[in-house]
């Protein structure tokens, strides 16, 4: 049975054949019930069902983009209903390293010890953090061979991996131009601090804002184009707009060899930030293949006052075209930038929730088709969690049909389901309890991992409810 949300999400699917369209809906619906399991376990372990799923992933007539396309279309519809949308993008590694034979087509991730592929999606969020879905995504593999780091400055951006930042930034500009009633804000981490990306904003539509975390201490020029110091010293010399107390979480670096200040270990603590902001013009760097123009930007620097001895201070330096004339406008920039971290939650849900890296395929093209399905599944879980927090009092039937929430209510509470559907927040917490969440007062809201584990149990419970529940059709009736 195909879930209603799958039918809605795949409304514009076109894989070139009606049977392929139907098969994708069936596979997506089946894998939604057991996203972390192997494909045979997810689709029912029957020979016919398993064969049909693998035929879909092995079909050379369709590709990653074809499967993801209807989800992107559905995301555009959700995006058009919003007054403000945050478009965040980032890169993640998909580690497909196997003990013996590697996946055909996979490339090196770090030298030659790990093999896989890289994914760079552009994801849409509301200002409160509800994920609307993926609007663009790029996949690529690296080639074997020595690094050409010494020649990087001579290589045009079109021949570098960093082109992905420019392409997604332009895609965000295009989305803004196609949705003039929506304020689009493109947000990126320090890897996007590339002058070509910053400069391309000069011709942006009026409803397009951008925020990039600074990585380099760039040179500054005055209104006449003369050298005028550098970015850090200009901000340090600007006045403090206000101070702000925040609570930061503990952090441990993923890689012991990562020496960047922002990735050093730190303890959870209360800290106070000084917030400075100013407008300045970045000097255009030299490029052998093109001429770049000096570019005016607004810069915000939030820096920790008196950090603990031996600990790395909290420091955000953001470049943007958003207004910064007062505290409220500066706070808006900072709040929009914070949405960027939610794409990391999506990556974690994709990897730990759907266990996409553990799926076994001989060829990279088969993996990519399954990846597109898994990205839709990861979004769906992430969406259910966030919408339950942002719209806690709406009916649970905004997300779950009766055959899904009723058996969950019965199992968790031990009571018959009420005639009036519970709120979305109540049902999401009940589903999370099926996944191991401890529901108690003043406890943190459930995360995507526990909700996804609960969704797997929901699939089995819902199937039994349809077959044996109070509304099931009895044989002979």
């Amino acid at each position: 049975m195909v879930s209603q949300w799958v039918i809605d999400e795949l409304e514009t699917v076109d894989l070139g054949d009606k049977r392929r369209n139907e098969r994708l809906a069936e596979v997506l619906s089946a894998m939604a019930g057991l996203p972390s399991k192997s494909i045979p376990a997810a689709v029912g372990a029957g020979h016919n069902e398993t064969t049909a799923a693998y035929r879909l992933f092995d079909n050379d007539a369709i590709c990653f983009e074809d499967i993801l396309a209807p989800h992107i279309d559905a995301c555009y519809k959700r995006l058009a209903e919003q007054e403000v949308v945050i478009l965040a993008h980032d890169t993640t590694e998909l580690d497909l390293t196997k003990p013996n034979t590697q996946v055909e087509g996979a490339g090196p991730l770090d030298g030659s010890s790990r093999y896989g592929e890289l994914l760079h999606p552009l994801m849409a969020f509301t200002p409160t953090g509800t994920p609307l879905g993926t609007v663009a995504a790029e996949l690529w593999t690296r080639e074997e061979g020595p690094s050409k780091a010494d020649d990087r400055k001579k290589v045009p951006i079109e021949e570098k991996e960093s082109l992905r930042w420019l392409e997604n930034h332009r895609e965000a500009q295009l989305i803004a131009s196609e949705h003039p009633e929506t304020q689009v804000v493109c947000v990126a981490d320090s890897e996007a601090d590339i002058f070509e990306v910053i400069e391309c904003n000069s011709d942006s539509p009026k409803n397009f804002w951008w925020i990039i975390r600074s990585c380099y201490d760039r040179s500054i020029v005055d209104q006449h184009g003369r050298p005028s110091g550098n970015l850090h010293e200009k901000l340090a010399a600007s006045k403090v707009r206000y101070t702000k107390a925040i609570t930061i979480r503990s952090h441990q670096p993923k890689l012991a060899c990562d020496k960047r200040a922002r990735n050093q270990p730190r303890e959870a603590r209360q800290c106070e930030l000084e917030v400075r902001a100013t407008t300045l013009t970045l000097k255009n760097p030299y490029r052998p293949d093109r001429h770049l123009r000096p570019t005016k930007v607004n810069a915000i620097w939030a820096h920790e006052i008196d950090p603990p001895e031996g600990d790395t201070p909290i420091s955000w330096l953001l470049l943007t075209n958003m207004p910064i004339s007062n505290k409220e406008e500066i706070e808006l920039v900072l709040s929009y930038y914070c949405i960027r971290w939610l794409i990391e939650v999506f990556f974690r849900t994709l990897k730990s929730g759907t266990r996409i890296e553990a799926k076994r395929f001989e060829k990279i093209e088969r993996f990519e088709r399954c990846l597109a399905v898994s990205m839709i599944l990861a979004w769906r879980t992430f969406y259910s969690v966030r919408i339950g927090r942002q719209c806690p009092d709406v009916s649970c039937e905004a997300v779950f049909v009766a055959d899904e929430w009723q058996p969950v209510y019965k199992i968790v509470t031990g009571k018959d389901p009420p005639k009036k559907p519970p709120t979305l927040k109540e049902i999401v917490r009940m589903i999370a309890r099926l996944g191991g969440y401890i529901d108690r007062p003043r406890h943190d809201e459930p995360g995507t991992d526990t909700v996804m584990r609960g969704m797997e149990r929901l699939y089995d419970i819902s199937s039994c409810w349809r077959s044996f529940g109070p509304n099931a059709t009895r044989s002979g009736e």
Side-chain angles (χ1 to χ4, degrees), residues 172-185:
Q173 291 174 323
L174 178 61
I175 291 171
S177 65
E178 293 174 345
H179 298 83
E181 302 302 318
T182 299
Q183 182 66 54
V184 174
V185 187

Side-chain angles (χ1 to χ4, degrees), residues 7-135:
I7 295 173
D8 296 338
E9 198 66 16
L10 299 184
E11 181 180 3
T12 63
V13 64
D14 183 10
L15 300 183
D17 186 283
K18 181 181 178 181
R19 291 169 297 179
R20 293 178 196 156
N21 298 344
E22 293 173 349
R23 184 173 299 163
L24 174 60
E26 292 167 357
V27 170
L28 178 58
S29 189
M31 291 181 65
L34 296 168
S36 68
K37 304 300 182 184
S38 66
I39 292 173
V43 300
H47 175 74
N48 292 339
E49 294 86 351
T50 301
T51 300
Y54 277 110
R55 280 179 180 168
L56 177 71
F57 298 137
D58 195 32
N59 194 323
D60 291 334
I62 58 177
C63 62
F64 170 83
E65 291 80 7
D66 295 330
I67 294 176
L68 201 60
H71 169 67
I72 291 176
D73 291 341
C75 183
Y76 279 144
K77 291 177 63 176
R78 291 186 283 267
L79 182 151
E81 297 172 352
Q82 306 296 319
E83 293 183 4
V84 179
V85 167
I86 316 297
L87 296 183
H89 56 132
D90 204 352
T91 304
T92 189
E93 292 181 344
L94 298 167
D95 190 346
L96 307 180
T97 309
K98 299 293 184 288
N100 299 312
T101 305
Q102 299 304 324
V103 177
E104 183 180 327
L109 296 177
D110 52 2
S112 58
S113 62
R114 296 187 303 123
Y115 286 83
E117 194 164 26
L118 294 107
L119 168 68
H120 190 97
L122 179 66
M123 292 196 65
F125 297 88
T126 67
T128 55
T130 299
L132 303 176
T134 301
V135 293

Side-chain angles (χ1 to χ4, degrees), residues 2 33 48 114 173 263 299 320 348 380 416 433 453:
V2 177
N48 292 339
R114 296 187 303 123
Q173 291 174 323
N263 286 336
T320 183
R348 189 179 70 233
R380 171 67 178 180
D416 290 336
R433 287 176 62 179
R453 288 196 297 269

Side-chain angles (χ1 to χ4, degrees), residues 386-420:
R386 295 296 302 191
I387 200 73
R389 296 181 187 180
Q390 303 304 326
C391 306
D393 298 325
V394 302
S395 168
C396 66
E397 291 196 342
V399 177
F400 303 101
V401 298
D403 284 349
E404 293 173 332
W405 72 260
Q406 288 178 351
V408 169
Y409 188 95
K410 177 71 173 180
I411 292 292
V412 173
T413 68
K415 302 176 183 178
D416 290 336
K419 292 182 179 180
K420 181 181 178 181

Side-chain angles (χ1 to χ4, degrees), residues 242-257:
Y242 62 93
T243 59
K244 179 182 181 67
I246 65 170
T247 301
I248 59 172
R249 296 182 177 182
S250 61
H251 172 73
Q252 293 296 325
K254 296 180 180 179
L255 300 173
C257 61

Side-chain angles (χ1 to χ4, degrees), residues 263-394:
N263 286 336
Q264 296 312 297
R266 66 167 180 255
E267 299 293 331
R269 63 177 185 269
Q270 292 280 338
C271 70
E272 188 172 9
L273 303 179
E274 282 184 344
V275 181
R276 305 169 189 263
T278 189
T279 301
L280 36 77
T281 301
L282 303 179
K283 182 180 183 299
N284 51 315
Y286 169 75
R287 295 288 190 267
D289 62 325
R290 71 197 70 197
H291 175 71
L292 301 174
R293 298 165 293 179
T295 302
K296 181 181 287 189
V297 300
N298 293 328
I300 299 172
W301 187 29
H303 186 73
E304 184 178 3
I305 306 170
D306 297 326
E309 184 176 354
D311 213 339
T312 303
I314 300 301
S315 182
W316 290 359
L317 204 167
L318 306 179
L319 306 179
T320 183
N321 69 335
M322 291 180 63
I324 57 169
S325 60
N326 54 50
K327 178 182 177 181
E328 289 70 26
E329 290 179 344
I330 296 172
E331 284 283 280
L332 188 63
V333 176
L334 294 172
S335 68
Y336 284 172
Y337 178 74
C338 288
I339 298 297
R340 191 210 71 80
W341 275 290
L342 293 178
I343 200 170
E344 304 288 353
V345 179
F346 172 76
F347 289 153
R348 189 179 70 233
T349 306
L350 178 65
K351 294 179 181 182
S352 65
T354 72
R355 292 180 58 79
I356 182 60
E357 294 170 309
K359 299 288 193 292
R360 294 187 175 274
F361 293 97
E362 295 179 354
K363 298 181 178 180
I364 197 71
E365 294 81 8
R366 299 174 185 173
F367 165 79
E368 290 175 350
R369 297 178 190 111
C370 185
L371 172 64
V373 171
S374 296
M375 287 176 65
I376 301 173
L377 298 180
W379 162 78
R380 171 67 178 180
T381 300
F382 194 8
Y383 173 79
S384 300
V385 171
R386 295 296 302 191
I387 200 73
R389 296 181 187 180
Q390 303 304 326
C391 306
D393 298 325
V394 302

